[in-house]
Amino acid sequence: MKKELKIESYYTCYETIEDAPEEYKNLIAEAKQAVKGSYAPYSNFNVGAALLLNNGKIIHGSNQENASYPIGFCAERTALSAAASIAPSEKIKSITITCSCAHHPVTTPGAPCGICRQTILEAETKHQQNIEVILTGETGAIYIFKTIKDLLPLYFDGRLL
Ligand code: THU
């Protein structure tokens, strides 16, 4: 029997930062701070990520590029690596990601690349806790996903079927 099926995903959208609750405004401000550490002379696309740990601590990460392009790090994985090194047993409540570009204003939320989605999933698996994913551009809407699994349907979590 052949079936055509559909995958659904849910997220919350605030149309502008003014519509968002204070806690998200603060996390977005942290992610914007993180963008300042970005080193992106090749793409001119600056990304910042702010992790909120269960203990309330915030950890920043930003993209770090290299003349040998594939060596570059994304902001999300920079932040996750820092958290795993500094506070390996502390669970991660959320990751807030934002970006800006030297060439044009970013008015829609940036979305994590596939490798970063899989890396965020690994952090969920490690700590057995969902990580809220908060996405925004320089301006415009804010998207909030309760778990990375909503951005990674049919995810691979290491279990061999
Ligand atoms: N980038 C991130 O930091 N996070 C993502 O999820 C998408 C892309 C970076 C990689 C590269 O330095 C620049 O953005 C342009 O792709």
Side-chain angles (χ1 to χ4, degrees):
M1 193 195 353
K2 180 185 169 192
K3 288 184 191 171
E4 301 291 339
L5 302 173
K6 180 167 80 174
I7 294 173
E8 283 187 328
S9 178
Y10 294 90
Y11 62 100
T12 302
C13 171
Y14 294 104
E15 275 182 19
T16 70
I17 194 156
E18 286 76 39
D19 302 324
E22 216 55 36
E23 58 174 301
Y24 294 117
K25 286 183 187 158
N26 292 338
L27 291 171
I28 290 164
E30 291 286 348
K32 289 195 177 199
Q33 268 302 116
V35 173
K36 294 184 182 163
S38 162
Y39 174 69
Y42 304 102
S43 71
N44 287 306
F45 192 73
N46 303 101
V47 187
L51 300 180
L52 172 63
L53 306 184
N54 274 18
N55 66 5
K57 275 211 170 120
I58 303 273
I59 292 185
H60 289 175
S62 52
N63 58 330
Q64 302 297 323
E65 296 186 348
N66 192 284
S68 175
Y69 292 176
I71 294 177
F73 295 105
C74 290
E76 297 88 329
R77 279 176 293 136
T78 306
L80 288 164
S81 300
S85 307
I86 296 163
S89 53
E90 204 59 48
K91 297 184 184 211
I92 300 163
K93 260 197 158 92
S94 66
I95 180 166
T96 304
I97 303 156
T98 190
C99 46
S100 64
C101 179
H103 303 306
H104 58 82
V106 182
T107 57
T108 52
C113 76
I115 294 176
C116 288
R117 291 178 201 207
Q118 187 72 39
T119 310
I120 297 166
L121 176 69
E122 196 64 39
E124 286 195 351
T125 305
K126 176 184 173 188
H127 294 298
Q128 291 295 293
Q129 178 174 291
N130 284 345
I131 298 176
E132 198 174 33
V133 181
I134 301 145
L135 307 179
T136 185
E138 281 176 283
T139 56
I142 292 144
Y143 295 167
I144 302 171
F145 298 80
K146 287 190 165 60
T147 161
I148 194 65
K149 295 178 189 101
D150 285 330
L151 274 171
L152 195 63
L154 302 182
Y155 56 89
F156 176 62
D157 69 356
R159 270 178 293 177
L160 300 174
L161 301 174

